């Protein structure tokens, strides 16, 4: 995480003092987050995108998460701007995603050493390093975090179901709860990154 936040000082705009993202897609997510954070809220139609078609705003969860990050920082007495929330979000979801990856690997392999090595390799993969650095505000970090959580829940649910040999009342309740948890994290993964849908549904 310290490697990923080393570039924060150079992301500040010298003319306005506000933080700028390092990729272009971030400005769209930032615009939605600013609208959500404003007193008027998010309008039904995006007036800056395909105006004649009256296209709605993107339905992914990232802009809401940016507002929540700002609010959570505020609870701890650290007032941050929505721009800084956008800049730091990739690192936050990287840290959460790395923890989820470790537990996913642990559920799959039952080996702490393999899970630690896997997490170490994931932390320094160049393409993943770029997509989870400060300033990168796109759906990739939160999408991977949700994907790792979903796979971990699926593995745990399958292990719970595999241990059941008969249809008793407690087994039906466990199966129903496991199904609800997997359904929730599937919905979260689809809302986090629409492009992830094909992989989630294939699995």
């Amino acid at each position: 995480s310290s490697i990923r936040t080393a570039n924060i000082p150079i992301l500040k705009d010298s003319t306005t003092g506000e933080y700028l993202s390092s990729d272009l897609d971030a400005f769209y997510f930032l615009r939605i987050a600013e609208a959500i954070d404003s007193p008027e809220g998010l309008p039904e139609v995006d007036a800056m995108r395909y105006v004649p078609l009256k296209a709605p705003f993107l339905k992914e969860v990232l802009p809401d998460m940016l507002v929540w990050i700002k609010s959570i920082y505020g609870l701890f007495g650290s007032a941050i701007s929505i721009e800084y929330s956008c800049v730091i979000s990739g690192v936050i979801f990287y840290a959460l995603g790395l923890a989820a990856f470790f537990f996913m690997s642990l559920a799959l392999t039952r080996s702490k050493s393999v899970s630690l090595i896997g997490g170490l390799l994931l932390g320094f993969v160049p393409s993943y390093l770029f997509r989870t650095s400060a300033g990168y505000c796109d759906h990739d970090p939160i999408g991977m975090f949700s994907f790792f959580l979903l796979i971990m829940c699926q593995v745990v649910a399958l292990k719970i179901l595999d241990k059941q040999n008969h249809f008793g009342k407690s087994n039906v309740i466990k199966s129903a709860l496991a199904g609800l948890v997997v359904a929730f994290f599937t919905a979260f993964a689809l809302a986090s990154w629409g492009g992830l849908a094909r992989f989630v549904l294939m699995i």
Side-chain angles (χ1 to χ4, degrees):
S1 293
S2 63
I3 291 170
R4 286 164 164 80
T5 55
N7 63 340
I8 287 180
I10 63 171
L11 293 173
K12 187 176 275 193
D13 188 347
S14 59
T15 57
T16 63
E18 281 296 345
Y19 287 93
L20 293 172
S21 297
S22 59
D23 70 303
L24 295 176
D25 289 348
F27 291 100
Y28 178 65
F29 292 110
L30 177 61
R31 186 164 63 85
I32 298 174
E34 286 173 337
I36 293 169
D37 198 38
S38 68
E40 297 83 21
L42 191 67
E44 289 184 18
V45 176
D46 187 352
M48 296 177 72
R49 181 171 163 252
Y50 308 130
V51 178
L53 298 178
K54 295 184 178 179
F57 281 93
L58 188 70
K59 299 297 182 190
E60 289 185 0
V61 77
L62 178 61
D64 293 300
M65 291 292 184
L66 298 179
V67 175
W68 290 350
I69 289 169
K70 180 186 172 189
S71 301
I72 290 168
Y73 265 86
L75 290 175
F76 294 103
S78 301
I80 62 167
S81 64
I82 198 76
E83 289 84 2
Y84 184 78
S85 174
C86 186
V87 164
I88 200 69
S89 65
V91 182
I92 291 170
F93 291 119
Y94 157 74
L96 294 171
L98 197 62
F101 181 81
F102 172 81
F103 288 112
M104 179 197 76
S105 300
L106 192 61
L108 285 167
T109 64
R110 298 180 185 167
S111 170
K112 289 179 184 176
S113 57
V114 169
S115 302
L116 282 170
I117 292 168
L120 184 65
L121 291 173
L122 178 68
F124 293 101
V125 171
S127 58
Y128 197 63
L129 182 63
F130 166 70
R131 286 176 174 81
T132 54
S133 292
Y136 187 88
C137 181
D138 208 335
H139 49 213
D140 302 17
I142 190 172
M144 293 309 295
F145 166 58
S146 66
F147 183 71
F148 296 147
L149 276 179
L150 173 61
I151 299 302
M152 181 188 69
C153 289
Q154 286 179 339
V155 170
V156 171
L158 287 173
K159 286 182 179 179
I160 289 170
L161 295 175
D162 195 39
K163 290 178 182 176
Q164 299 177 9
N165 297 320
H166 59 282
F167 287 99
K169 185 178 179 182
S170 63
N171 289 342
V172 171
I173 292 171
K174 284 180 187 175
S175 299
L177 287 174
L180 286 172
V181 169
V182 170
F184 172 79
F185 283 109
T186 301
F188 178 56
L190 297 180
S192 298
W193 188 2
L196 200 66
R198 68 184 70 181
F199 298 105
V200 166
L201 299 176
M202 276 194 300
I203 293 169

